[in-house]
Amino acid sequence: MGAAKDEKPAKDDERLDAKDDEAEVEVEVEVVKEPSDVFMHSLPLLSTVDHYTRLAAKSAGKRVVGVLLGHNVNGKVHCTNSFAVPFEEDVKNPSIWYFDQHYLEDMFAMFKKVNSKEAIVGWYSTGPKLKQNDMEIHELVRNYTAHPVYIIIRVEEDNVAESMPCTAYKAVEQIENETSGPQMTFTHLNTTLRCSPMEEIGVVHLLRDIQDYTVSSLATQVKEKINGMKAIAAKLTEIKDYMEMVVSGKLPLNHNILYYIQDIFNSLPSLHLIRHSSAVATEVNDQTMVTYLGSLLRSVVALHNLILNKFDMKRLKSEEEEKKLKEEEEAKEKEKEKEAKEAEKKKKEEGAEEEAK
């Protein structure tokens, strides 16, 4: 995610103003350019993952739907916020679905009071692919914005080679044949991940607090490195295929792409030199050794705590047994004393009866 550039806030393509005294939403449509690029910020991605985890993660084949907020700047759509919308659909019959418009209007009225610059720019779902009823939902969202965007957000890591966690679409008219009229269909939009400095700090702190205590730190780091190497291998294969197509004449030469590729290779360390290779290997070995020793120390401390816990449990158990035996002995002594008192009392009563006779 790159740093966000300071851009002038654009006019919203649709402005919904909530009246304080009346629970109504007024729609004012303004002329804006059709979307050409989408800039996805980190907050909508995190909100979508939380929405999916709370509602649909345990239901196979179920997706969640929500509304994207932001602004449209000369066709460049910035998605800076979002909120969930109650949505239900029949998996077997996609034509049966429910989208709560009243909830959408009420929520947007509250968001509008907090930040009046944010407008509805589109909607999202967790897909993971386009579905039959997506165009109907898209036309419904068109009531709130002239040119909505539809973004499918992947909340599950199915393919580590995928570079983007989301895919953006817009609706365009397409004529398939002369007999039938124009039909609406989805077409791809260029998508870029954008993160402002404030959002970047929040994401770092959030990811730092997310820990899986069932998995050791060493196993987690190894898994992350494996996934990273797979992604790098996929990107290098993509670059290799592109270069081969350019050499063979299947694709035209693009100097901007070549400049980026040259920057990538210039940023790599010079491992062909012996001293650089040994230095990199030494640094990697030192870092790996520290991680390994830390994991060993953590395991030793955990075993030590387990042994101490067993000793404490054994001590507590013996103390409880001793306490129980002591209580039983005290109860027996009290019972003996009671019996002795009753026998002495009975003996006195018998003596008194004999004296009376």
Side-chain angles (χ1 to χ4, degrees):
M1 296 183 182
K5 297 181 181 178
D6 293 332
E7 297 178 317
K8 297 181 180 179
K11 293 183 179 180
D12 303 334
D13 51 347
E14 289 191 357
R15 184 174 301 167
L16 303 179
D17 297 328
K19 296 182 179 180
D20 296 336
D21 52 348
E22 298 180 6
E24 297 179 357
V25 176
E26 297 181 356
V27 180
E28 298 180 3
V29 180
E30 296 182 357
V31 178
V32 295
K33 291 186 177 181
E34 189 175 352
S36 59
D37 297 282
V38 174
F39 295 91
M40 195 68 178
H41 289 248
S42 58
L43 183 58
L45 297 177
L46 296 174
S47 301
T48 304
V49 173
D50 177 69
H51 183 197
Y52 179 80
T53 304
R54 288 185 291 105
L55 298 181
K58 298 180 180 179
S59 302
K62 187 176 181 180
R63 62 172 178 168
V64 296
V65 172
V67 172
L68 295 170
L69 303 178
H71 50 273
N72 188 332
V73 184
N74 297 326
K76 296 181 179 180
V77 180
H78 292 259
C79 302
T80 57
N81 204 347
S82 66
F83 61 86
V85 176
F87 176 78
E88 294 290 340
E89 64 180 343
D90 191 349
V91 180
K92 297 181 180 180
N93 188 1
S95 61
I96 301 176
W97 54 275
Y98 170 73
F99 186 91
D100 197 340
Q101 293 180 257
H102 296 289
Y103 181 87
L104 184 155
E105 295 173 358
D106 294 340
M107 284 295 295
F108 181 72
M110 290 187 287
F111 272 89
K112 197 72 174 177
K113 294 178 180 178
V114 178
N115 189 351
S116 61
K117 295 181 180 180
E118 287 183 343
I120 296 177
V121 295
W123 64 289
Y124 73 84
S125 78
T126 55
K129 296 180 181 180
L130 290 172
K131 295 192 176 183
Q132 183 178 349
N133 54 9
D134 286 346
M135 185 56 69
E136 299 177 5
I137 303 173
H138 196 78
E139 292 298 325
L140 187 147
V141 178
R142 195 184 292 274
N143 296 327
Y144 303 96
T145 178
H147 301 289
V149 296
Y150 172 38
I151 298 180
I152 295 179
I153 300 175
R154 291 186 295 275
V155 294
E156 295 180 351
E157 191 179 5
D158 296 331
N159 188 1
V160 296
E162 290 287 347
S163 58
M164 298 292 292
C166 57
T167 306
Y169 301 92
K170 68 176 180 179
V172 296
E173 291 186 354
Q174 185 177 4
I175 300 176
E176 297 182 356
N177 50 58
E178 297 180 355
T179 57
S180 62
Q183 295 181 354
M184 300 298 294
T185 182
F186 286 112
T187 182
H188 283 274
L189 287 172
N190 294 328
T191 308
T192 304
L193 294 181
R194 183 67 61 88
C195 188
S196 64
M198 292 74 72
E199 291 175 331
E200 189 173 354
I201 294 173
V203 171
V204 170
H205 282 283
L206 180 63
L207 295 178
R208 189 178 299 170
D209 295 335
I210 299 176
Q211 296 180 359
D212 189 359
Y213 295 98
T214 61
V215 182
S216 64
S217 59
L218 179 60
T220 303
Q221 292 183 10
V222 171
K223 183 179 178 181
E224 291 176 352
K225 291 184 182 298
I226 291 174
N227 292 337
M229 295 301 294
K230 288 181 179 179
I232 292 175
K235 295 303 176 186
L236 291 176
T237 303
E238 187 176 352
I239 293 174
K240 172 178 171 291
D241 295 338
Y242 170 76
M243 297 298 292
E244 290 178 351
M245 290 181 181
V246 172
V247 172
S248 62
K250 295 180 180 179
L251 289 177
L253 182 63
N254 191 323
H255 293 284
N256 292 329
I257 296 177
L258 291 180
Y259 292 154
Y260 283 122
I261 295 175
Q262 187 64 40
D263 291 339
I264 291 172
F265 286 104
N266 288 338
S267 62
L268 294 176
S270 302
L271 296 179
H272 62 280
L273 299 177
I274 298 177
R275 58 188 183 88
H276 289 174
S277 179
S278 60
V280 172
T282 302
E283 184 177 357
V284 172
N285 290 336
D286 292 343
Q287 293 178 355
T288 309
M289 180 60 71
V290 171
T291 305
Y292 180 67
L293 290 177
S295 300
L296 284 178
L297 181 61
R298 181 180 177 183
S299 301
V300 172
V301 172
L303 290 174
H304 181 67
N305 292 333
L306 179 61
I307 294 173
L308 290 179
N309 187 33
K310 287 186 176 180
F311 282 134
D312 292 338
M313 294 299 294
K314 187 176 181 180
R315 179 178 56 81
L316 292 174
K317 187 176 181 180
S318 61
E319 289 179 356
E320 289 180 358
E321 291 179 353
E322 291 178 358
K323 185 178 180 181
K324 188 175 181 180
L325 290 174
K326 188 175 180 181
E327 290 177 354
E328 290 178 355
E329 290 178 357
E330 290 179 354
K332 288 181 180 179
E333 289 179 358
K334 289 181 180 180
E335 188 176 354
K336 289 181 180 179
E337 291 178 358
K338 186 177 180 181
E339 291 178 354
K341 288 181 180 179
E342 289 180 354
E344 185 178 356
K345 184 178 179 181
K346 189 176 181 180
K347 188 175 180 180
K348 288 181 179 179
E349 289 177 355
E350 291 178 354
E353 289 178 357
E354 290 180 356
E355 288 180 359
K357 289 179 180 180

